[in-house]
Structure formats: structure tokens, C-alpha cells
Amino acid sequence: MKITGLTTYRVPPRWMFLKIETDAGITGWGEPVVEGRARTVETAVHELSEYLVGRDPAHINDLWHTMYRGGFYRGGPILMSAIAGIDQALWDIKGKALGVPVYELLGGLVRERMKTYSWVGGDRPHDVVDGIAARREAGFDTFKMNGTDDLGMIDSARKIAETVKRVAHIRETFGDAIEFGLDFHGRVSTPMAKVLLRELEPLRPLFVEEPVLPEHADAYRRLADQTSIPIAAGERMFSRFDFRRVFEQGGLAIAQPDLSHAGGITECVRIAAMAEAYDIALAPHCPLGPVALAACLQVDFVAHNAVLQEQSMGIHYNRGGEVLDYVVNRADFAIVDGWIKPLPKPGLGVEIDEARVIAASRDAPDWRNPVWRHPDGSIAEW
Ligand SMILES: O=C(O)C(=O)C[C@@H](O)[C@H](O)CO
Ligand SMILES: [Mg+2]
């Protein structure tokens, strides 16, 4: 079998799908995208296609190393997201050619179902209690929200109190009937993270995500030494080499690689195994579309340390498009009481509605995250 072509489709809300075609008529789908930089990743995918067209798609490992090592420069969000989406599509082709889901090619199931969580609130966390109540109606009992609004490097007791009060209200309302992670989203400096973790400790969040910017990952160890709240991160780490540095310095309790940013299934399976060796749980990051989610689930069902899966149904970013808008097999993605079953179909297990994708790509968005500024006019972390 030979790869004959790669086609990219940028679609609402902010995703990109990749179709890899072969001379055997088997097509594989991937989701290479960095949110807000879809066009950049699109260019990278088509540059990398020079290594792929004419090659046998079954040679995933050699193609992965050729894409990663062949161009001298490596790593980072753009190249690793391009490789990720291509890798997903290659695994999709291999599974379809052999008539089995990818998890069978990776040694088979380690669990019968996977726990998922639902986002509530928005960029600036608000109405989180109403959001939780609404999503509990859908059967979820585990949630994630932004932990803070924008925050200064050294901010006021009042701003800290706002966060603590919001989280306390959640616990007062729902008690221990629910769990929730707080995503600090890199908005919080190390000094403020120390203050917030101390104040939030009694409210027992399930985890705090990106407590500081990934550039300050060396602080995770110090922060973990002062709190029992599990620290989670990984959406802005792009290879096993990025994760190794963080694993070795300590402090991380939950690794959150993104299957569309960290080199795809081939790389994230390696990251999962590395994490397990450090007694670190796996909770793949996935605020994206159905192909990314399917790729996450293929890893979740073969990784012993997978504990929680993000999915973007109802997330505040999904304006103009939802996770299941582009799939034919919606029922396979059924989430019952927060749990999802393995995707049984060959390959990634997602059947893409190509006509819908093509139609949606004609009005391709150019989503950008907002640029926030502090009251003094300086740039604030979004
Ligand atoms: O889902 C998460 O945990 C996020 O932090 C969302 C963030 O990754 C946005 O997708 C960036 O545009
Ligand atoms: Mg996050």
C-alpha cells in the first residue's frame, strides 16, 4: 500500500481534520491542530507530506522518526501537532487495513470503560454551580473549570478571595457528590499559586491544572511539597523529552498530553508508559474534535494509568461546531453517567462525515484566543 495524498480541512469551531489517502482506497483521518494556529499547522502538514507520499503507511515508526528527525529542527507545538495528526491518520489506516481498532494493535483493552469529565463556566469562570447542575443532569459527576480570572503576578487578597469563594460555593452546593479540577491555565504566578493552593486545600479540588506556566514547570515540585492537591499539566508539552524533564524533577501527579499536540498515538503511548514509571496518572487533554477524542480513547484503553479523559462537548470554545457534528457513528461516542466505552470500529473508531467536513471547510474560521490585558495595560495570560 502507498500513501497517495494528504488533504486538510479547517472547520468550525477551530479544528482541522487531515485525510490521508492510499492506493488501496483506504483513507485515514487525523486532527493536526494548535488552537489559534491552524493555518501554521496546515502548512507544516503539507511540508511533511514530502516525507510521506509514495511511502507505505504501515511503517508508522519509521515515518514518525523521519518527520521528527528528518528536518533537523524538532519539537514544539507546530511540528509536533502536525506529526500528531499525521500519526493518528496512519494508525487509522493500519487498523482499517487489518480490520481492528487501534487498541487491539497496542495489546488490547486494560479497562471496560473510561471516565470522562465535562467543562463548566467560561474563559472567565462564571455560573459554575448552574453549569455543574446542568451537566449533572446529563450524568456527569466530574467537572473542570478555569480556576481564576486574569491574575496579576502579585495580586490582591480580594482576587484570591473571589476564587476561593466560587470554589467554596461549589462544595457547599454539591458536597462530595461531585469532583472538579481547577485549570489555572497558566494565568497564575508561582507566588500566587502558593497562596491559592493553600487557600483551596480544604475544598479538595480533584486536581489543579497548569498551576503555573509551563516555562516554570520547575516550580511543580515546590508547589507539590506544600499541598496535597494533585498537580496536573501537559497540554503545552510536546514530546516524551519535554515530559521526561518534568517527570524527573518531580511534583507532577497527572500527565495531560494532548493527542493532537504531542506527536500523536505513537508518542503519547510512550509518554503514558513513562508516566506510569513515576507513579504519575494519565489524563489526556482534549478540548478538540472527534478524531482527537478517538485518538485519546485508543490510548486510554491500553494505558494502565489512564484515569480521566477530557472531552469538549459543551465546552465554551465550541461556537459553530460540536464534537459529534462531523461523525456518522455518534452512538459510539455515547457517554453514560460520565463513562464512555471503547470505540469498536476498525482504526481510530471514528467514522467521519466527509461531505459535512467539506461543506464546513468552505467557511473555515480563523479562531484566535482573546488577548487579555491587566488594568495597567500590560499583557495578561489568557
Ligand atoms: O482544555 C483545557 O484544559 C484548556 O486549557 C483549553 C486550552 O487548551 C485551549 O484549548 C487553548 O486554546
Ligand atoms: Mg488546560
Side-chain angles (χ1 to χ4, degrees):
M1 192 184 322
K2 292 194 180 326
I3 294 169
T4 54
L6 285 77
T7 310
T8 47
Y9 302 97
R10 283 177 286 106
V11 296
R14 57 180 191 155
W15 306 330
M16 181 161 69
F17 297 137
L18 163 65
K19 178 177 73 173
I20 297 185
E21 294 175 281
T22 68
D23 59 1
I26 296 176
T27 297
W29 288 89
E31 192 169 333
V33 71
V34 167
E35 304 94 297
R37 291 288 176 263
R39 288 180 186 276
T40 315
V41 176
E42 185 170 46
T43 300
V45 168
H46 290 293
E47 282 182 344
L48 291 170
S49 68
E50 296 162 15
Y51 296 131
L52 300 164
V53 175
R55 288 290 308 273
D56 185 337
H59 299 166
I60 298 175
N61 283 325
D62 183 63
L63 290 169
W64 195 97
H65 286 287
T66 303
M67 292 188 287
Y68 180 77
R69 301 174 189 280
F72 187 74
Y73 293 99
R74 66 224 26 220
I78 300 301
L79 288 173
M80 295 311 286
S81 296
I83 292 173
I86 292 167
D87 180 83
Q88 293 166 9
L90 295 176
W91 278 105
D92 196 27
I93 291 168
K94 186 182 271 278
K96 286 172 178 174
L98 298 172
V100 294
V102 170
Y103 61 75
E104 290 296 1
L105 300 173
L106 297 172
L109 299 174
V110 298
R111 58 180 48 83
E112 295 165 358
R113 56 183 190 165
M114 184 66 194
K115 183 80 171 177
T116 69
Y117 63 84
S118 180
W119 261 92
V120 293
D123 267 348
R124 298 181 189 277
H126 60 276
D127 304 333
V128 290
V129 166
D130 293 345
I132 291 171
R135 302 302 284 156
R136 285 193 79 197
E137 292 294 309
F140 287 96
D141 66 5
T142 307
F143 305 91
K144 184 164 86 174
M145 65 204 78
N146 280 306
T148 76
D149 214 324
D150 53 300
L151 205 65
M153 283 191 76
I154 299 294
D155 215 316
S156 64
R158 180 180 55 75
K159 289 279 282 212
I160 298 296
E162 270 174 24
T163 289
V164 177
K165 187 177 168 199
R166 179 169 49 247
V167 178
H169 185 31
I170 295 170
R171 271 297 174 228
E172 284 153 18
T173 307
F174 301 104
D176 290 344
I178 62 145
E179 298 299 335
F180 56 88
L182 298 175
D183 193 346
F184 282 12
H185 216 251
R187 297 173 180 171
V188 182
S189 68
T190 303
M192 289 291 98
K194 288 175 67 174
V195 173
L196 277 168
L197 289 168
R198 185 191 62 216
E199 297 297 316
L200 290 167
E201 176 108 6
L203 300 169
R204 299 188 317 285
L206 188 62
F207 58 85
V208 165
E209 179 174 321
E210 286 203 321
V212 294
L213 283 165
E215 299 95 307
H216 304 308
D218 55 294
Y220 295 162
R221 176 60 185 265
R222 299 198 302 279
L223 294 172
D225 287 345
Q226 74 156 63
T227 181
S228 62
I229 301 173
I231 289 174
E235 68 185 81
R236 290 190 273 191
M237 297 179 205
F238 307 106
S239 71
R240 60 198 186 282
F241 308 107
D242 290 353
F243 278 90
R244 187 201 68 183
R245 280 187 281 277
V246 176
F247 291 165
E248 285 180 343
Q249 69 191 17
L252 199 64
I254 304 170
Q256 299 174 307
D258 185 301
L259 266 286
S260 283
H261 299 344
I265 291 170
T266 303
E267 187 70 350
C268 289
V269 165
R270 295 174 181 133
I271 292 166
M274 287 172 65
E276 186 185 353
Y278 289 86
D279 202 20
I280 294 173
L282 177 76
H285 176 261
C286 189
L288 297 172
V291 183
L293 178 57
C296 288
L297 292 169
Q298 295 300 335
V299 174
D300 290 335
F301 280 102
V302 301
H304 172 73
N305 53 331
V307 295
L308 207 47
Q309 178 58 54
E310 181 175 26
Q311 53 77 38
S312 80
M313 295 176 204
I315 201 170
H316 49 291
Y317 305 117
N318 287 358
R319 301 278 179 270
E322 259 302 349
V323 175
L324 301 185
D325 286 355
Y326 300 106
V327 307
V328 174
N329 60 320
R330 297 169 72 99
D332 288 344
F333 288 86
I335 296 178
V336 178
D337 295 333
W339 298 90
I340 193 167
K341 291 191 181 301
L343 298 176
K345 293 181 169 66
L348 295 179
V350 57
E351 292 176 68
I352 290 294
D353 179 343
E354 186 167 357
R356 178 76 184 262
V357 166
I358 293 169
S361 70
R362 292 195 185 103
D363 185 21
D366 255 334
W367 183 89
R368 297 282 184 277
N369 63 266
V371 177
W372 285 0
R373 291 196 175 266
H374 291 301
D376 68 359
S378 59
I379 287 282
E381 295 291 347
W382 167 64

